[in-house]
Amino acid sequence: MYLDEVKTILIDVLSLGEAGQRLQSDSPLLGSLPELDSMAVVSLVGALEDHFGIAIDDDDLSASTFETLGSLADFVARKSAG
């Protein structure tokens, strides 16, 4: 459930277009997508907070959160659960 929604938000925020459609759960993000720079991370976090109704603190974020699309979706799932 979360994977597809997170993928859609990622594609929209980073303006990945068709290239974003090829992203899979194990697709690397941070360091592999040039579009995912520090400013894009801020925009992406804001979009995830708005869409899922969650609050993400700076302390919640680490490089491992953005390692793959799957790790980002898992992070959102955990934040949404509680």
Side-chain angles (χ1 to χ4, degrees), residues 1 3 7 17 20 23 25-26 32 34 38 45 49-50 66 70 78:
M1 168 185 161
L3 185 68
K7 178 178 174 178
L23 292 173
S25 176
D26 62 349
S32 295
S38 58
V45 167
E49 287 177 322
D50 290 346
F66 296 94
R78 285 191 306 275

Side-chain angles (χ1 to χ4, degrees), residues 8-79:
T8 299
I9 293 167
L10 184 71
I11 291 168
D12 290 346
V13 169
L14 301 182
S15 301
L16 296 176
E18 285 297 313
Q21 296 301 326
R22 292 190 291 272
L23 292 173
Q24 301 294 318
S25 176
D26 62 349
S27 296
L29 300 180
L30 201 58
S32 295
L33 293 177
E35 298 87 354
L36 190 59
D37 59 17
S38 58
M39 290 305 297
V41 167
V42 172
S43 297
L44 179 58
V45 167
L48 292 169
E49 287 177 322
D50 290 346
H51 181 83
F52 292 102
I54 58 177
I56 301 173
D57 297 322
D58 291 344
D59 293 343
D60 293 336
L61 301 175
S62 68
S64 63
T65 303
F66 296 94
E67 186 175 351
T68 65
L69 178 58
S71 66
L72 183 58
D74 290 345
F75 170 79
V76 170
R78 285 191 306 275
K79 289 302 286 185

